[in-house]
Amino acid sequence: MKQAFRLISRMKGYTALSLLGLIISLSGTVIIARYLHQEWTIDHWMPDRERICLAQREEYESDDPNANRSAMIARKIPEDGHPITETEGVEAATSVWLRSLFSVKLGGEKTFTVYAISADSDFVKVFPLEAVEGTLDLHVEGDAIISETLARKMFPDKSAVGQTFMAENRLHTVTGIFREPATKSTVHYEMVTYVEDEGWLNNTFRLTFAKLKEGLTREQFNTRQVKQKGVTAFSYGNDNKEVLWNYKLEPYDYFLDYTNHENWPSVNKPSSKEHLWMLLAVGILLFFVGIFNFLNLYAVMRHARNHEMTVRRLFGASRLDIFSMLYMENLLISALAMVGVWMVVELTTPHMKDWFNMEQMTMPVFDTVLSLCIVLLLPLVSAAGKVKRSGRGSHLFLFLQYFISISLITVSFYLMRQLRVMMTADPGFNTENVISCLPYTSDMYSHEDMNKEVTDRQLFRERMRESPFVHDLCEDQNFMAEKYEIQDANGTSMYWMKMNEHIQNVLGLEILEGRGLCDSLDNHSNTYHCVINETALKRLGLKNWRTEGIPLSFYLHVTSDTDTSKYPTYQVVGIVKDFHPMKQSEPQPAIFFTYEQGKYDRQHTVYYIGSSEKRTLVSIEPGHEAEAVTYLKKVEKEVFGKNDLDYHWLSDEVKAMYEEDRRTARIFFTFSFLAIAVTCLGVLGLMMFDVRRRYREIALRKVNGATFRDIALLLSRRYLIILAAAAAVSIPVSLIGLHQLITRYYTIHATIAWWIPLVSIAIVLLLCALTLWQQVWKATRIRPYEVLKEN
Amino acid sequence: MIQTINLQRAFTTEEVRTIALNGVNLEINEGEFVAIMGPSGCGKSTLLNILGLLDAPTGGQYLLGGQDVTPLSEPERDRLRKGLIGFVFQSFNLIDDLSVEENIELPLLYMRMPKAERRKRVEEAMRRMDISHRAKHFPRQLSGGQQQRVAIARAVVSRPKIILADEPTGNLDSRNGREVMELLSQLHDEGATIVMVTHSQRDASYAQRIVNLSDGQIVTEVEM
């Protein structure tokens, strides 16, 4: 180890370059590796996560149990009997309410914003949180359990257990502290408050989770439920129709498609698989750039010590002795690099969310294993490698570094171009001058509440339509955030949306044939009417849509005035022009529209999984955006008594869909420059060695008349040839790679412009030339007489 | 051809200032063969470097072919040196990675001479130095005598008017040393101006004049 320290102090320049290169590349790799690990181990802190399921219930008519299903999120203790906890195969169940961010007040007006959920007393029976202090059992209203970190933040000087705080105008008491889950959680919370009766909760989304008994799978449970043909029955409607229902369990994270982070901050949607694979590719490439760089520079250090090695061998050092010595040197460099890496990771972690939307959580076990692997294995590779006099190894490594850098920057340019194409593509519906707002939330716990809301919403609509700035408005539209997939009887999948003349107006939907759905013809109609888009028409294979119907595999509506004993067949009344309410990278969806009257009517509410937040879309007359928003706020206050309009523009909602693409492009761009930086460090190191090795030669050439240009060419020729070779290979490879990427992940895509690879090469060339310049300049400053005197 | 007036060269480090040349007045005529002698550290090589435009004096004047080259910048000195001055070193200073013919070709390359002309000159120089059979060999494959022949071939291939030789036989045995001196003598007979730094009385005997240096000053000049 002493000798290793000596080496580092003797070869400061090369060591510094090696360390810097390793720190840059490994920091990037570690950041990506941690993020990937975090995303790929979501909810792994729950050892029995396969047994934890989201409970729904399915309803069907007692006289035709095989037909007509509708699904809704189950209540743990439903009003019509048979709690899920009493169902065979269920070990425990809990109801959880997703909440908005909590504003928590301590004495002295100290306020904290907290990620919170509410749950009943069986929460920890399903979710195995570990108690650090106190008890995690929630018993009475006002009980709250908080995470260790939040406890430290809120009560830094004392034990949090027994402390009180105000939240939602209620006094809460901390009954216990739980340890933060070791992995990322689909539902992230720092606080769980107790709820028994959801009546007082505003703005919530209830989910019921059931934990199955050991040995029982979700599929087995569901099959058993269907065979039992309904665990209970209830009657409703004017004719007291009997409806059977049973429980259906879905995967734990099934609700993710129907929630968004904006409405429910506690919900962590996992990154899409393709983006994670792309990040993995960047991480691996950057890792290799760093490793090649290190191996190259270490080979230079070994070259410079050839004489020393020969002498050691001459005086009896075995291969193992030499290997051990080299291993220790490398171990020291790797360990120092790792210290640097963690400093960078720690310094950048707080900014990762802002820079790349990559929140990093602490994972001590993963971090330790990753660090040890790098520190112990990297020296094995570098110490075992042979140093060839020809320098072919270093040429190959440098070639690969150039190759990776050019390829990465080519792909990052393309991704940015692709992003621009997707974001500027016409979605086929109005996104400009449309406000998406939430003027009210449904707080209906009695018939009085219900009636009041119906009246208020009617008034709201009327008042809004009075404004000269408002073109039209439609309610209950969350189609951008929540996608409902339905199937016909043949299994053809379609997205389901609601339509009436207002929705059609606001979104500017174009009817190609037939008619759209509207109040006058489709409200309280006894036949099931629908409109489909062009893609749905093709996909369903309807030869004559005016006469053929679409048999759906389950009910969309539960109504009292329709004949539900038959399989519902929807009559197509119109074809709407295709539009794209999802990311442009996804294929054009088939869309199926049913009538929505736009006023609240419990009888017509679709019983389907979804949040209680249904946004209102308001189409504004162009040029009057500010006036319209002011008016909207005024009406909101007047009708609903609210003073905090939650709104954004629909065009921003469209842009938000590309956040992940934007992030990936940004990461590619940043990390490709890191790869170039590391490559430049390698080139600098090699060049330093070259100049030193060729001091005498340069001096002699100068004596014989070599000019600055001659020396510059002499020294940089090798690097330029390798760069040219790498460019020649990387262009076709990156183009083939891009083609694969395009065909696999993007439905519409940007063209691969001719300038992309050229600019990529130019950037790498420019940065490497700048690196070489300094050394070339130094070389041309050599005073021949001094060098030759030394020799 | 060469004239120095009160030439001075001092080397200054952070701690000490060393005077290598202290008022050297020297005149060398065209076609003359001059040997510079003196004990180690007397300034012989420093003087040779200045004469060869590899270094610049810190005082005095250096006139080369009647032109005052003292104020010239390094690039200007480099340009002037090209094709005018050839060098022969004690330790040969051949480039290891270049073959014999490539080493000899080097000054012509930097004179931007056409390839055919270069080829011709290199072959002629190799023939003259009797090393044609070693054209493709690398320096490490040659004996000391052969390496110095290559070095002399490189020094003369551009047909310089002045050849500066810094202890050209210092690393050679007596037989090879004699051969090298015969070659230099031959070049002198053909009209080259030769300035040679040496410790050897025997080598100095080939010169027409011996200049003795001591402590950076000329102490004696002996015509042979």
Side-chain angles (χ1 to χ4, degrees), chain A residues 96-107:
Chain A
V96 172
W97 288 266
L98 300 180
R99 313 297 306 271
S100 301
L101 285 173
F102 253 39
S103 184
V104 172
K105 273 186 191 162
L106 289 183

Side-chain angles (χ1 to χ4, degrees), chain A residues 202-402:
Chain A
N202 290 328
N203 195 14
T204 61
F205 183 7
R206 191 201 64 242
L207 299 164
T208 296
F209 295 101
K211 187 176 188 179
L212 289 171
K213 283 184 178 160
E214 214 161 345
L216 184 67
T217 66
R218 193 166 49 79
E219 290 75 17
Q220 287 167 340
F221 175 90
N222 289 342
T223 311
R224 199 183 288 173
Q225 283 282 301
V226 172
K227 275 183 190 163
Q228 287 172 358
K229 296 188 176 176
V231 292
T232 194
F234 65 99
S235 301
Y236 75 105
N238 299 333
D239 52 356
N240 275 335
K241 208 166 235 329
E242 192 184 44
V243 172
L244 298 174
W245 60 265
N246 53 25
Y247 288 111
K248 184 184 181 192
L249 297 185
E250 298 287 359
Y252 163 73
D253 56 0
Y254 186 72
F255 62 94
L256 282 176
D257 287 344
Y258 309 104
T259 52
N260 61 54
H261 182 76
E262 194 187 334
N263 292 344
W264 310 110
S266 300
V267 174
N268 281 322
K269 285 204 177 186
S271 296
S272 65
K273 276 182 190 165
E274 59 265 37
H275 284 274
L276 292 181
W277 284 117
M278 284 166 81
L279 290 188
L280 178 69
V282 176
I284 290 175
L285 291 176
L286 189 61
F287 175 76
F288 277 118
V289 167
I291 298 304
F292 293 151
N293 187 62
F294 176 64
L295 294 178
N296 248 355
L297 289 175
Y298 191 67
V300 163
M301 290 160 87
R302 291 267 303 268
H303 254 304
R305 296 162 68 206
N306 265 347
H307 180 69
E308 176 198 334
M309 294 300 160
T310 313
V311 172
R312 283 179 189 276
R313 293 295 300 274
L314 207 67
F315 285 91
S318 67
R319 282 179 191 278
L320 185 65
D321 294 330
I322 299 280
F323 175 79
S324 309
M325 187 184 82
L326 297 177
Y327 184 83
M328 288 311 285
E329 290 170 7
N330 280 277
L331 187 71
L332 183 62
I333 295 174
S334 306
L336 286 173
M338 221 33 177
V339 172
V341 166
W342 282 110
M343 283 168 69
V344 173
V345 171
E346 287 301 320
L347 285 172
T348 54
T349 294
H351 308 289
M352 278 296 142
K353 170 93 179 147
D354 298 331
W355 294 343
F356 303 121
N357 196 17
M358 275 167 71
E359 238 168 332
Q360 301 259 303
M361 60 183 289
T362 311
M363 295 168 291
V365 176
F366 178 75
D367 293 347
T368 310
V369 171
L370 183 68
S371 305
L372 282 177
C373 282
I374 293 173
V375 169
L376 297 176
L377 296 180
L378 179 59
L380 271 184
V381 180
S382 47
K386 282 185 181 171
V387 179
K388 288 184 182 168
R389 199 183 154 80
S390 66
R392 270 184 210 144
S394 76
H395 291 175
L396 176 68
F397 288 151
L398 190 58
F399 169 85
L400 290 170
Q401 283 178 266
Y402 278 139

Side-chain angles (χ1 to χ4, degrees), chain A residues 488 492-494 534-542 587-590:
Chain A
D488 76 345
T492 306
S493 284
M494 291 172 285
E534 295 168 279
T535 303
L537 180 65
K538 276 184 224 152
R539 208 166 290 171
L540 290 163
L542 300 179
Q588 169 63 47

